[in-house]
Amino acid sequence: MGSYRALLALLQCFTISALASSQTCDPVAVPDVPWVQVREMPVGCWTSFLRADKAEVHILNLHFTSAGAMFSLNMTLAKPMNLILTSSAGPLYVACNKNADVNIYVHSNVTLYGDNKNNVHTEDFPTENEELVKWATQRFGGVTSFTTVRTPSNIVSTGREGTKLGSSDCTLEHEDPSVKHFMEVVTVPASPFKYCSTQPQNPSDERQLHIINIPEDSSIRNVSVHVNTDKLMKVFLRGPQGTTWSFVNSQHAAFCSNNEVVVEQITHRLRPTITFTSDHAEDVQKKALEYFKATTVTSYSEIRLEGSMVSLTLGKRKNPSVTEEPVIPFTTNAPEQMPLLMQLYTSPDYRLPLDPNTKVQSDKRIYAEISGNALGGIVLTINVISCFVRSKGSCPVEKEMPFISETCSPKVCLNSTRVSFFLDQLQELASTTWDLECSVNLCHNENCGAGGRVKRNLEVTQPYTPPPTPPCIDFGLPAVLGIAFGGFLIGVLLIGALWFIKIKTGYPTGLDVSTTAANLSGCPCSLTKRQPVSTNPSPSENSSANASIGSTQSTPTSSMA
């Protein structure tokens, strides 16, 4: 009985372990999450300051991930203003279009391109935020706005007033830049999330479990949480030590965290509910399932942003802004740079473009031209860094594609470059539909920056292989000599055999060779019988005939003897 209970307990342990492992999920990088919306809250200000000459004063603090970045600035509709551009990341290139009422102030590491380069001033002003505000206040009398933007690709003035009701003093604090209606900022899409779920897309009305995990190496330390749902939800919040979670509205949420939690309706801070330091996805999910006694995870979100403060909204969106769109087979937008295009050709003269649906034999060589439309008419050099192909299907295969740079004069390849590929390494693979993708750098003079990737679909077919032909025998000189010598021996043997037959057979009896030779010239061996001689000659010929006959008959007699 005891052994039976022990076996039953062991089976239960195995069942619970298997169930726990099936309740967790492996997060993957995604650009957006259906249950969580996150916005970075950088430092900035927005005031009512306006100079006496009716000009505004705006500061754009730009952050890029690498040196040599580019972006487009369109200020053609802007109100009269003094615009200060600052960036701490190496050289910066700006394709600028503006009107005459816009004065731009930049550092020496910022280069502007465009038709209207008037009123562009290069000055050595501070780069630290507070010091820059002080300098602008002393120089222009005040600051209308200070905006921090990360990895912009396009900044456009909307033409609306840049002031805001309230104080005219610029005090830097965390803000949401998207509310500043006087400009529109387009940034490079990032993937700040890792996400997974073990629940169906439409979970039941039971309490949903949402897990937010901020890894230990993240710089986020202050999170403002908004609960945007009418249903009750369980929220598990994990972050590095020193992180603070501030709930704006928590009436529909039961939460647990290893950090301090601030609820606006309560004047004091709530201490951590649990002690938990691991940021591993599986450990965090198991801890949340254990604490809330749940069986499934509605959403697990791992957030990575560079800012120290973010705004987080929990709740499924009714009208998701991200919809699935058909993929354009051969274009892509390069991060921080310009749109790129890849066109394929079958010959090195680059005259006849290859149709996207045309299949290319895998034993052929293809030629590619990568080009782009530079911002503001800037002349750029495109350098291909690497290329690879990825098969389409349920089990994608990825292979690196070595390329050969093709020579092209600068006049012909303006803002473009040419390379070629051999497709022989695709012969042994079953897939025929591939995505050809290349990573490029964009260079201006000697300064280069990341140009992103360009993609093009590629149809490949296997070459026709004719059936094998029987091998052809190669006769060399020794074989020819052997055959000739063999033929000679056979001829000698045949002649010898015929001569032997002649020797054994001999001439028939009574054969007169001379007469035969006289009758048949050239045929001494003729077997024609001689006609018999008359025995009764005429009297007139008797004496001469006897002598003739006697001499005639004596010759064969002596020869035959």
Side-chain angles (χ1 to χ4, degrees), residues 436-448:
L436 174 61
E437 188 168 334
C438 293
S439 299
V440 301
N441 272 346
L442 299 179
C443 302
H444 178 70
N445 295 332
E446 297 180 356
N447 302 307
C448 297

Side-chain angles (χ1 to χ4, degrees), residues 156-198:
V156 181
S157 173
T158 62
R160 300 177 63 179
E161 297 286 345
T163 58
K164 174 187 176 183
L165 295 177
S167 174
S168 60
D169 296 328
C170 177
T171 302
L172 296 180
E173 58 186 7
H174 292 282
E175 65 171 5
D176 184 3
S178 63
V179 301
K180 294 180 177 179
H181 54 255
F182 57 89
M183 66 177 177
E184 293 179 356
V185 178
V186 179
T187 59
V188 176
S191 296
F193 294 99
K194 280 189 174 181
Y195 169 81
C196 69
S197 175
T198 61

